[in-house]
Structure formats: structure tokens, C-alpha cells
Amino acid sequence: PEADALLGACRERIDALDERIIALLKERVEIVREVGKLKERTAPGRCPLRPGREAEQVRRVVRTFQNSIFHAEAAASIWRSIINGSLAVEGNI
């Protein structure tokens, strides 16, 4: 029973963190949409891909997670998914 209570408390903390992550991701997407609109106004029809910027973002994530119990490769994979999803919001690829 005590272990169940502790496990339940940990899960509640995880759920609360998940809600914060979701809110931050939604906030990020709104900013990405602003970027897409700005790019469309300043360079209409131009492909939104910026491989150098994307690579630097992933490198930063990998550096941040080096020597972490969470694998840097897993964090980079998550970030790639966020970037890919963001590109779809930003504009036509």
C-alpha cells in the first residue's frame, strides 16, 4: 500500500510535467506559425527548410543530454519530431 501510494504520487508528478510540456509545445507551435507568416511575407514561395538551423537545434539537444540518464539519441529523436511537425505548421515544404 505504501509503495502504491508513492507510485501514485510519482505518476501524478509525471502527469503534471506532461501538462506543462504540452502547454510549452503548443506555445512553441504558435511562435512557429508566426515565423511562417513572417517568412511568407518577406520571402513568398520560399521553402521553409533551414537545415543549418535545424542541425544546430539537434546538436544543442544532444550536448544538453550528454552524460544524462536519458539518452542523447532519444532526446534528439524527439527534437527531430518536434522540428518536423513544426515545419508542417510553418509552411509548405
Side-chain angles (χ1 to χ4, degrees):
E2 183 180 338
D4 289 341
L6 291 172
L7 182 59
C10 287
R11 287 180 174 158
E12 286 178 16
R13 290 171 49 206
I14 288 170
D15 291 346
L17 284 171
D18 287 349
E19 291 301 317
R20 289 170 50 196
I21 292 168
I22 290 166
L24 287 169
L25 185 55
K26 289 171 100 175
E27 182 179 344
R28 186 184 194 283
V29 168
E30 287 303 317
I31 296 168
V32 166
R33 187 166 55 167
E34 288 178 36
V35 168
K37 288 177 183 179
L38 179 61
K39 285 182 179 179
E40 185 57 36
R41 279 197 314 273
T42 59
R46 188 171 172 199
C47 180
L49 292 173
R50 299 292 174 267
R53 165 120 172 96
E54 295 159 22
E56 179 49 40
Q57 287 177 300
V58 173
R59 282 193 296 269
R60 180 173 42 88
V61 169
V62 169
R63 281 192 306 269
T64 301
F65 280 91
Q66 285 179 337
N67 304 317
S68 170
I69 60 172
F70 192 81
H71 292 271
E73 295 83 6
S77 177
I78 292 167
W79 224 258
R80 284 291 332 149
S81 293
I82 290 171
I83 291 169
N84 289 339
S86 296
L87 285 170
V89 170
E90 191 174 324
N92 293 328
I93 300 176

